[in-house]
Each structure stands twice: as structure tokens, then as C-alpha cells.
Amino acid sequence: MTDYVNWFRHSTPYINTHRDCTFVVLLPGEALAHPNFSNIVHDIMLLNSLGVRLVLVHGSRPQIEERQSARGISSHYHNDLRITDSDTLACVMDAVGSLRIAIEAQLCTAPTASGQGSRLRVVSGNFVTAKPIGVVDGVDFHHTGEVRRIDRKAISQHLDEQSIVLLSSMGYSPTGEVFNLACEDVATSTAAALEADKLILFGPDAGIFNAEGQLLRELKPTRAQPLLNALGNSLPGSLLSAACKACDKGVRRSHIVSFCDDGALLTELFTRDGGGTLVTQEAFEQIRTATIEDVGGLIELLRPLEEAGILVRRSREVLETEIGQFTLIERDNMIIGCAALYPLDDSSSAELACVAIDPNYRHGGRGDQLLAHIESQARVMKIDTLFVLTTRTAHWFRERGFVPSSVERLPAKRASLYNYQRNSKVFEKTL
């Protein structure tokens, strides 16, 4: 029970962050066929009840192949794309139509926050305009196409009405032709057209793994090529390629999560570390100067250390006044570390204070990153000596080049404010 309560409390900032955001969710045909799909539907319904605007894009590859096999039709590919002749198109339409109905039925019967799933509106339609791929390398792709345009206005209107929009891997031309599309193409094009906050891609694994078998929590598109080469045309490879393309099209964040693991979607969205792979152009963690909007997060980070007597207590008013002195480590919009630099009057020295790292992130070298950043900042300010006053962490500073000093070494104005009752040890470091 305690774990659940703690998880729920820590998920609250994410609930507020995700409200009114637009997520495009890709559900490949493999996900729809998996026994865990019913749990995914429940999680999607939960997101909807929390105010997330949802567009679902579903694939149908294994279902198409089942119908081809049943009719004795062979699958043909070129450049990893299915060649869709007339017989295959019939299988595509059969598979896509059946899946759409099945998904709508599950979404309408799954319980919502009010316990009545039937009130949820699921909207499908001809929102995707497609064009033929044509003939490539002498190969005629027939009814295989690619996205030409997404009807952003129509989709946005339905999202404004709190409907879930359901898109398939099919598109239509202005002349009434039907085209078989790659579901990844539909998902990335839709996310880009809607300027979605997130593209979420369900795959068979927890995320993307490196050559050593380690799950990559964060990945930049510029470093993805070796992984794409290794994954080839597998489903994880297709998802990673789609995530990178989405980033190139302006989608800030793409998440690859497992359709096999119950709760993978919620873990990725409502915990700091997530459970899958985040593909983004942005730094998942960044060091930056604090602003007035960070005061609340700073109070939450510092309070336990102040209560333990490790740090001097600072009121909200003091933090608001001194906020410009603070440097933060931010992880996914959460403050997990801080330090403050106070130049000392009439001297070329400064005080390093309020160094704090969230207990969950104290073994990743973040304190060293903060210290390096502060020292660099101090050098730019022509400061040649850093002082630090500490009661409990003397060893940490000594290991990083600080040497024992004294109150008498402090500039006079700072020395006059020394709290003898607290009896902090003084250390200094020459920059």
C-alpha cells in the first residue's frame, strides 16, 4: 500500500503536465493480437479520463498475412514495403475493417473513470489523404501508397470534443482510390501535422537495447544509425526509424514501450525514469539557471535536508529573492539537484552553498556535474576562491579539491554572519 501511495503522489506532476496534451499512439498489428492488448485499452481509457487528447493509429501486418495465407496469396515485398496488388488489397481492407470494429468495441466497453465506457466517443474517418508510391526500381507497388496529407483541422475538432480519433493504415486519394500505407508513416505524419506533444510507439520489447543488451532510456536520433543498421527491418527497427523521423519532423518526444508488459505505458508516462526508450532531440537532463517558477520544486527538494539539519533552512521569501543564484539539474521537468553560488562582497571569492541531489539520483555523478558547472561559472565571474561551509559532507568536498580553512579566512562581511551555534566547518578551493 505504501508503494502505491508513494507512486501516486509522485505521478501527480505528470498528470498535470499531460492534461490537454496531444498524444499519437501507434498500435501495430502485433500489439492488437497480443493478450495484453485489453490492458493497453484500459490504460488508454485512463489517459482519456485524465484529459489527454488521443489519436490512435493501428497497424494490421500480421492480420493481412493471415488473410493472404487463408486465400493462398503470397506476400511480396520490395524495399521492406508490401506490394499491394488487387487481391492483396482485398485482404488489407478485410483486415483493417475487422480490426477497426474490434478496437472501437473494446474502447466503448472498457470502463472509464465514471464506470461507463459507452459514453466515450471513438471517431474514424477519411482523415488521411494518400498517393501511390508508383513504380520503384522497375517494381510496380500497385495499391501501396504513402501519406500525402493529414486533415489536421478535422482531427483537431474531434479532439476538442473529447473524442478519441482512430486511424488505420489506409488512405484515400481525391479520385476515390484506396491505398495500403505503412502504419509508421501514418503515425509520424499525424504527429507532425498535429504538432503532437508525444508519439508513443508500442513494440515487442521494453524499448531499444544496445549491443550489450542494455535498455537505452534515452536516445538522440543522431546516434541511432548503428542501432537501425543492427535492427534492420524488424518491428523494433521500424519503430525506432519512425521515432527518429518524427523528431526530424518536429515532434519533441517519441516513446517506445512494450505491448507485452502490463502497465508499460503508465510507467513510461507517470514515473521519472520511465520504462521504455525516449527518443528526443532534447536533453533528458539539463543543467540550467533557476527561475522564479522553480521555487516550489526547490522547496520540495531542500525540505528533507533542512529538516535533517544538513542544510540551513531557507524560507520561500528568501528563495524567491535569491533564486538567480541557483543552478539546477532538471530531469523531465523535475528538479533533482541544485547548488547556489554567492559572490562575496569586496573580494574575488564566492560561497558555494545549498548543494543537494535528490536521494534517488545520488549515484550518477550529478554532484560532480553541478560542481564543475559552478566552478566554470565562477571563473567567468573572475572568482579565484570558492568557500563552502558544511556540517555533514566535509569528506565529499575534500575529495574534490577543497581544503580545510577557517572563519578568519572568510571575507569580513561573510565572517560576521557565521553561525557559531551551527559550527559549520569551512573549506576553500582555489580555482
Side-chain angles (χ1 to χ4, degrees):
M1 178 60 72
T2 302
D3 290 342
Y4 168 75
V5 171
N6 288 334
W7 178 87
F8 194 75
R9 285 172 177 164
H10 285 99
S11 70
T12 302
Y14 296 98
I15 293 174
N16 294 328
T17 298
H18 298 329
R19 185 176 292 114
D20 296 324
C21 288
T22 300
F23 294 178
V24 176
V25 181
L26 174 60
L27 297 161
E30 292 83 352
L32 305 180
H34 196 275
N36 189 51
F37 181 63
S38 60
N39 294 322
I40 294 175
V41 169
H42 281 78
D43 293 345
I44 288 171
M45 297 290 290
L46 176 59
L47 291 182
N48 176 261
S49 70
L50 294 174
V52 178
R53 296 153 56 92
L54 291 167
V55 179
L56 308 182
V57 180
H58 75 86
S60 54
R61 290 190 186 103
Q63 292 82 1
I64 292 171
E65 291 179 358
E66 287 177 3
R67 284 159 174 77
Q68 285 183 299
S69 178
R71 301 180 188 185
I73 301 172
S74 300
S75 296
H76 298 284
Y77 294 86
H78 182 70
N79 293 339
D80 300 328
L81 282 176
R82 186 191 301 277
I83 298 171
T84 310
D85 57 20
S86 297
D87 291 336
T88 301
L89 181 62
C91 297
V92 172
M93 296 171 68
D94 183 9
V96 169
S98 298
L99 288 171
R100 179 179 63 81
I101 294 170
I103 295 169
E104 288 179 351
Q106 289 208 48
L107 287 170
C108 289
T109 56
T112 62
S114 65
Q116 297 179 348
S118 59
R119 292 185 179 180
L120 177 74
R121 287 174 295 184
V122 182
V123 177
S124 301
N126 58 338
F127 302 123
V128 181
T129 300
K131 61 182 179 181
I133 289 179
V135 178
V136 179
D137 300 328
V139 177
D140 189 349
F141 278 87
H142 298 283
H143 301 283
T144 299
E146 57 188 3
V147 175
R148 179 177 181 181
R149 186 176 66 86
I150 301 294
D151 193 341
R152 170 179 175 168
K153 183 177 180 180
I155 293 175
S156 296
Q157 286 176 343
H158 289 298
L159 294 177
D160 291 342
E161 295 169 356
Q162 300 181 344
S163 298
I164 290 179
V165 175
L166 178 62
L167 304 179
S168 71
S169 55
M170 294 188 69
Y172 310 91
S173 74
T175 57
E177 295 176 281
V178 180
F179 293 101
N180 178 30
L181 311 175
C183 59
E184 295 87 354
D185 185 17
V186 177
T188 55
S189 297
T190 302
L194 295 176
E195 298 179 351
D197 298 278
K198 292 182 184 292
L199 170 63
I200 299 169
L201 307 124
F202 277 92
D205 305 315
I208 301 300
F209 293 80
N210 62 18
E212 290 73 37
Q214 299 170 321
L215 176 64
L216 299 173
R217 297 291 188 183
E218 179 188 2
L219 180 63
K220 292 184 180 295
T222 52
R223 304 187 66 178
Q225 194 56 53
L227 295 165
L228 290 169
N229 294 338
L231 292 169
N233 62 351
S234 65
L235 180 54
S238 297
L239 298 179
L240 178 56
S241 177
C244 293
K245 289 177 182 176
C247 282
D248 292 339
K249 291 181 178 181
V251 180
R252 293 177 57 229
R253 294 188 168 194
S254 296
H255 302 259
I256 301 175
V257 298
S258 171
F259 59 69
C260 303
D261 299 335
D262 186 14
L265 176 61
L266 301 184
T267 300
E268 179 69 6
L269 294 177
F270 295 102
T271 63
R272 288 189 185 180
D273 292 328
T277 296
L278 168 66
V279 181
T280 177
Q281 301 280 17
E282 303 173 340
F284 193 36
E285 285 187 13
Q286 62 173 326
I287 297 179
R288 63 173 178 82
T289 302
T291 66
I292 194 68
E293 288 79 12
D294 298 313
V295 170
L298 271 176
I299 290 174
E300 184 177 347
L301 175 67
L302 299 177
R303 184 184 294 117
L305 296 173
E306 293 173 348
E307 292 174 349
I310 298 173
L311 294 178
V312 175
R313 188 179 298 274
R314 287 171 170 80
S315 67
R316 176 179 285 272
E317 290 74 17
V318 168
L319 285 174
E320 289 177 353
T321 302
E322 300 179 350
I323 193 66
Q325 313 302 128
F326 280 81
T327 296
L328 309 178
I329 298 181
E330 184 181 59
R331 180 183 179 89
D332 199 21
N333 298 319
M334 303 288 286
I335 298 172
I336 64 168
C338 72
L341 180 65
Y342 295 96
L344 300 176
D345 292 341
D346 302 324
S347 91
S348 59
S349 60
E351 180 181 356
L352 171 64
C354 211
V355 179
I357 302 293
D358 185 293
N360 295 314
Y361 298 95
R362 287 181 182 166
H363 301 289
R366 295 175 178 84
D368 292 299
Q369 294 174 29
L370 264 178
L371 179 59
H373 187 90
I374 291 289
E375 289 181 358
S376 175
Q377 182 181 351
R379 291 188 183 97
V380 171
M381 298 167 65
K382 307 300 183 183
I383 290 169
D384 55 30
T385 305
L386 271 185
F387 288 97
V388 64
L389 281 68
T390 180
T391 58
R392 304 273 288 275
T393 56
H395 66 286
W396 191 88
F397 289 104
R398 295 196 68 169
E399 290 168 1
R400 286 152 181 82
F402 285 81
V403 297
S405 186
S406 64
V407 177
E408 291 73 24
R409 285 277 299 163
L410 292 170
K413 186 173 182 180
R414 178 64 183 90
S416 68
L417 299 175
Y418 181 80
N419 185 340
Y420 284 92
Q421 184 176 359
R422 185 171 171 81
N423 196 28
S424 299
K425 294 183 178 181
V426 181
F427 293 85
E428 65 177 270
K429 182 177 182 179
T430 302
L431 299 180

